Amino acid sequence: MKHVITAKLKLHTDPAQFTALRETQLAYRDALNHVSRYSFAHGKTSNQRTLQHACYDDIRLLFGLPAQMACNVPRQVGATYKSLWTKAKHNAEAHKAGHTKKRYKGLDQPPKYVSPTLTYNYQRDYGFKKDQQVSILTLQGRVVLSYRGYEKHVALIGQGASIGAAKLWYDKPRKQFYLLVSLELEVEDPTPQTHTQVVGVDVGQRYLAVTATLTGQASFFPGKQVRATADHYARLRKRLQKKGTRSATRRLLAISGRERRLKQDRNHLISRRIVDAHPQRLIGLEDLTHIRERTRRKRGKKASKKQRRANLHASSWAFAELHGYIAYKALLSGSLAIKVDAYHTSQACPRCGHASADNRPNKGLLFVCQECGYRLHADLIGARNVALRTLLTQQDWMSTGILSVSPDVSCEEAKARQRQRYRELRWSTDTSPRL
């Protein structure tokens, strides 16, 4: 099985090289916005061939980009518009199903590229040399730079790992360039014989992650402190943006990315601890696709101040990022992450199978089954239900030889059959202590 990771390399530049890289970045960004406006004016097309045929000569003439970069620009713009059309389609489906009343506005105006990050193709626009040096193409020709990075990543590059495209990223507050290189690694294919144990992971707000195994082991990763810090940065950013003065803008630049880096760091930490604690396991994650459309909440004037704050928290934490970190780190450590249906994972009793919103009094952290009286931490209940559904997937894998890494419930009939199987799952009373 092939797996792609990203190596972050810090580039060491002199003033002339720094200027050359910066000019190339800004020209690439201007070319992206030029093609984006053309696409918007011509039916918001996402066809990359059409964009390249129409804009290639202008990109070379107006912005002076080399040939390969001039080809990358229409491809990137086409991919952006394709993503926007996909979101618009999903919004239309959710609107038709009654899940949302909001109209998707991503295509109301041409997408504007702000970040000057540009894409390089390996052995065309950049290449590695001896003594930890890299040759990079700019508007003034090639520049040879020394670099340093994570020891294991540098070793993989030196040992001839399969290298793909790279992105030149500029850290503006520190005025530092980084080269983000994709590396393709070969990892062992998972088998039912090597992944006999399962673990379930439930994500939430008060506890960012809770894990549970079938033997009764559990881990809690609280999120109160880090969420309070993230809220502080969000409030500070809001006040500075509202003020709008030059000093406020300078302060915004100084603190830019703090909230995002804080969440990213915590997600990295949690995912690393989960993967290290459960080697050679089948790790079950909730399928949270379109969770915002599927979750009904009070909004606007109908919502209380507490409800609006809860909505902000639910929509701001990067749970998809946490799932992604767990998935790629699990592959590198010999485990495998799969997704299971998130339907009623926090409302279904793992002992008797009864599912009801009343099992969560006041939507708190205590789970009380209205059928059998079983009481436990609500997030731990969710993790155990995820673990049981992961076990069901693992048993299907052993019997059929086919592993589904995400729920295959595209139609209502298949979804009903799958959820009926979930209701029949039972947690052993020997591993379920009462509170």
Side-chain angles (χ1 to χ4, degrees), residues 17-118:
Q17 294 169 338
F18 180 92
T19 302
L21 291 176
R22 189 64 177 158
E23 288 178 351
T24 307
Q25 273 195 326
L26 296 177
Y28 189 89
R29 183 183 65 182
D30 293 341
L32 287 173
N33 287 315
H34 173 80
V35 178
S36 177
R37 291 190 294 269
Y38 176 88
S39 175
F40 187 84
H42 293 77
K44 306 172 186 177
T45 178
S46 62
N47 190 298
Q48 299 174 9
R49 284 189 176 182
T50 300
L51 292 176
Q52 180 171 338
H53 180 75
C55 301
Y56 178 83
D57 293 336
D58 291 340
I59 295 172
R60 295 295 304 275
L61 180 63
L62 298 176
F63 307 102
L65 293 182
Q68 189 59 50
M69 290 187 195
C71 293
N72 288 339
V73 169
R75 294 171 187 170
Q76 186 171 340
V77 173
T80 299
Y81 272 90
K82 186 175 182 180
S83 176
L84 294 177
W85 278 115
T86 301
K87 292 180 180 179
K89 179 182 178 182
H90 290 162
N91 174 260
E93 293 174 351
H95 192 276
K96 184 177 181 180
H99 296 320
T100 183
K101 294 182 180 179
K102 293 184 178 180
R103 183 182 66 85
Y104 183 67
K105 300 179 181 180
L107 289 168
D108 287 357
Q109 55 186 357
K112 184 178 180 181
Y113 294 84
V114 178
S115 173
T117 302
L118 66 88

Side-chain angles (χ1 to χ4, degrees), residues 257-273:
R258 286 189 183 180
E259 180 188 2
R260 174 85 292 275
R261 290 194 300 272
L262 174 70
K263 295 178 180 180
Q264 190 179 53
D265 177 73
R266 186 49 58 98
N267 285 338
H268 267 301
L269 178 65
I270 293 174
S271 60
R272 173 50 58 194
R273 290 183 177 177

